[in-house]
Amino acid sequence: MISVTVGDIGVVMRVIRVVRTHQIRAVMAHPAFCGVPEWLLGELVTELAARWEARCESERHDRRQGSRRREAGAGPKYELVFTDRLLATLVHLRTGLTYEALGVIYQVGKSTIGRAVAEVRPLLAARGFAVPQRAGLRLRTLEDVFAYAEAEGVTLRIDGMETQVRRPRAHRPGRRAFVSGKRKQNTVKTTTISDGQGRTLWSGAMRPGRMHDQSATRRRTQRAVTQEGGRLMSAA
């Protein structure tokens, strides 16, 4: 008769969890899901992980109002390591998979996925957007986009994308501004600019879902167009 202790069961469960995590990561890292090849994904992890950790440590320092009192690594562990946070963000941006669905895949709450996306998106945006057939050139701001369009004679297409978000907490000022008249849900809208072939050149300018796409586009792009003299652009 084989005796099994509680400790043995715990070890088996940890092994199963590790194997499952590796399987999920292998699937999510496929270009069909995340949209980037393996070599580029490795570069993103190497480049952004240190920035993410530095940002998290800065936020913890502000909350503590001083230096850490315990050694690095002490305290509760992250439910998602940075690699999984990056993959979840890339998959969400590429496929539109909801936070809830990603939470089911990673066996975490949708709020955890939402925080991960909110942390990683600024890091990706800060890298800028690569320009097709122009190695080394990156567009980081709207001014960069319109300057590039003016110099290269590119006609831009501007569109808005809505993403469902959690309902803002009660009594928050401006809470109703997130209710989309089109989707009848709490959403945020993101402005996306692409070239004539539909290749994304820039994405950002997030705003509450109640604002109409054209109003948001005019407010966000009017200054950049005026400054750069760019030609606009058909709205997709």
Side-chain angles (χ1 to χ4, degrees):
M1 181 176 179
I2 301 176
S3 61
V4 179
T5 65
V6 175
D8 295 333
I9 296 176
V11 171
V12 172
M13 293 302 296
R14 285 194 293 272
V15 171
I16 293 175
R17 191 177 298 114
V18 170
V19 172
R20 186 177 183 279
T21 299
H22 283 291
Q23 291 175 337
I24 292 174
R25 191 174 297 163
V27 172
M28 302 294 267
H30 193 282
F33 286 94
C34 68
V36 298
E38 183 178 354
W39 65 267
L40 179 55
L41 180 62
E43 286 187 2
L44 287 175
V45 172
T46 302
E47 177 183 345
L48 301 180
R51 299 181 187 177
W52 173 76
E53 182 57 40
R55 180 174 180 178
C56 291
E57 179 58 33
S58 176
E59 293 176 352
R60 289 192 292 264
H61 184 277
D62 292 340
R63 290 197 300 268
R64 291 190 303 260
Q65 298 182 349
S67 302
R68 63 166 57 249
R69 298 187 179 92
R70 294 185 291 183
E71 294 183 0
K77 307 302 180 184
Y78 289 112
E79 291 186 276
L80 292 177
V81 298
F82 178 75
T83 300
D84 293 324
R85 289 170 181 262
L86 175 61
L87 283 172
T89 302
L90 292 174
V91 171
H92 169 70
L93 294 175
R94 176 173 173 79
T95 67
L97 204 60
T98 64
Y99 295 167
E100 185 175 8
L102 287 167
V104 172
I105 294 173
Y106 281 104
Q107 293 189 334
V108 297
K110 61 181 180 181
S111 59
T112 300
I113 299 296
R115 285 194 298 271
V117 173
E119 292 170 357
V120 174
R121 282 194 69 164
L123 298 177
L124 292 172
R127 298 184 75 250
F129 289 78
V131 178
Q133 301 175 350
R134 289 291 299 275
L137 177 61
R138 289 190 170 273
L139 308 177
R140 293 179 170 81
T141 65
L142 272 176
E143 288 73 16
D144 292 343
V145 175
F146 290 115
Y148 163 74
E150 178 67 15
E152 301 293 333
V154 176
T155 298
L156 303 178
R157 295 179 177 180
I158 301 180
D159 197 5
M161 180 183 70
E162 280 190 285
T163 304
Q164 184 178 352
V165 296
R166 298 180 66 186
R167 179 184 301 176
R169 64 179 182 273
H171 310 301
R172 171 180 172 176
R175 183 186 186 195
R176 296 183 60 185
F178 288 87
V179 180
S180 169
K182 180 169 61 178
R183 297 185 60 178
K184 309 301 181 185
Q185 296 173 330
N186 290 273
T187 66
V188 293
K189 293 183 178 179
T190 305
T191 298
T192 300
I193 301 179
S194 60
D195 61 13
Q197 301 182 44
R199 298 175 296 191
T200 300
L201 298 178
W202 186 83
S203 182
M206 297 181 65
R207 70 275 185 193
R210 190 174 183 178
M211 184 181 296
H212 194 278
D213 289 349
Q214 292 185 0
S215 300
T217 298
R218 283 196 299 266
R219 293 185 185 182
R220 191 67 177 86
T221 61
Q222 184 176 11
R223 181 179 178 183
V225 174
T226 302
Q227 289 180 348
E228 300 299 337
R231 60 192 181 95
L232 192 81
M233 313 166 242
S234 58

